[in-house]
Amino acid sequence: MALPPIRRQIVVAATPDVAFEVFTAEIGAWWPLASHSVHGASATVGFRDGHLVERDPDGAEAVWGSVLDWEPPRGFRITWHPGSTPDRATEVEVAFAPVADDRTLVTLEHRGWETLPDPTGTRTEYGRGWPTVLGGYQGRFGEAEPSTGTVWLAFLHTPGPAVNGPLEVFGHPDFQHHLAFLRGLRDQGVLVAAGPFPASGDGMTVVKVDAAAVAEHVRRAQEEDLSVARGVLQVRVRPWNVVLQ
């Protein structure tokens, strides 16, 4: 199987238009250049003429990628090759979706590993790096005002890089951690339904949570479900606007 994308999701205390603006126009203010750049802490980075460009104090430039799609405030898509050449580019897509009051679910997806000399090793390295990068971005926002009401979330699960085929998911020893995570949601009183789709390694979990706890549930779906953290499954969280029950 082709290596699946890396997907990281966070919730920020802003509307999608503000979240998009902070990610793109203010990227040089929050990106951790000291640890995740070509030229180091003294460099700057920003979008310019359809490219994401890093520049050191002496004027040397490194193009990190070229914009493929630009649809504010919904998201953007860009080629990705910091420190390398365009023929070794992967692809990064960032999407912004409203969730709860004045909150945005930010989804970063990094894919296209097959162009690289060491796809698995590079994917593993980025898997460690993107949480640090998004932590810097999330830190640009203050705490959200307390929100009332409830939010429905769908957790869409697909096979991860630790299995060689979709039907290996259920026989993997770490799949038990997914079942334990689901039982925990049930015991908390937030689980609506969960289960696999027939004849595939895909599944879906639906939860109904307090609006103030949305960010925590997005985090837990990625980090506390150990079948996801260990690569047996991947998860994508999507807000669900329920109109009939």
Side-chain angles (χ1 to χ4, degrees):
M1 282 201 323
L3 283 173
I6 288 172
R7 184 181 299 116
R8 293 294 302 183
Q9 295 183 280
I10 59 172
V11 174
V12 298
T15 56
D17 55 335
V18 173
F20 183 97
E21 183 74 6
V22 170
F23 200 108
T24 55
E26 299 180 20
I27 191 169
W30 57 262
W31 190 278
L33 289 162
S35 57
H36 294 71
S37 68
V38 176
H39 297 297
S42 60
T44 60
V45 64
F47 285 92
R48 189 184 72 203
D49 299 327
H51 304 283
L52 184 56
V53 181
E54 179 188 349
R55 182 183 177 92
D56 77 4
D58 297 325
E61 294 186 344
V63 177
W64 290 7
S66 302
V67 174
L68 300 172
D69 293 306
W70 192 265
E71 300 180 34
R74 295 181 58 187
F76 67 93
R77 186 168 59 97
I78 186 173
T79 64
W80 193 257
H81 54 91
S84 188
T85 53
D87 61 308
R88 294 288 174 85
T90 52
E91 186 177 290
V92 170
E93 184 171 6
V94 185
F96 304 84
V99 56
D101 295 331
D102 295 330
R103 288 171 173 82
T104 297
L105 177 66
V106 182
T107 302
L108 183 144
E109 189 165 292
H110 190 172
R111 52 182 174 257
W113 310 105
E114 293 72 21
T115 64
L116 304 175
D118 180 14
T120 300
T122 305
R123 185 188 183 280
T124 299
E125 184 178 354
Y126 271 108
R128 292 190 294 261
W130 279 122
T132 299
V133 170
L134 290 178
Y137 167 68
Q138 195 170 29
R140 294 288 290 178
F141 301 89
E143 293 293 326
E145 292 294 324
S147 185
T148 59
T150 57
V151 173
W152 296 67
L153 298 173
F155 300 165
L156 307 179
H157 292 98
T158 54
V163 295
N164 294 318
L167 298 184
E168 288 190 10
V169 168
F170 307 108
H172 195 284
D174 281 335
F175 183 70
Q176 64 181 321
H177 297 297
H178 181 59
L179 301 179
F181 178 74
L182 296 179
R183 286 193 291 269
L185 295 175
R186 180 198 60 195
D187 294 344
Q188 294 167 43
V190 300
L191 180 67
V192 177
F197 296 108
S200 77
D202 301 349
M204 183 170 71
T205 299
V206 177
V207 298
K208 186 180 181 182
V209 304
D210 291 337
V214 166
E216 180 63 11
H217 280 282
V218 170
R219 183 196 66 78
R220 293 184 62 230
Q222 299 170 94
E223 298 177 6
E224 295 187 13
D225 183 345
L226 295 184
S227 67
V228 173
R230 297 176 181 178
V232 176
L233 291 170
Q234 286 202 300
V235 65
R236 181 186 183 98
V237 180
R238 298 194 66 179
W240 189 18
N241 294 328
V242 176
V243 296
L244 289 176
Q245 298 182 48

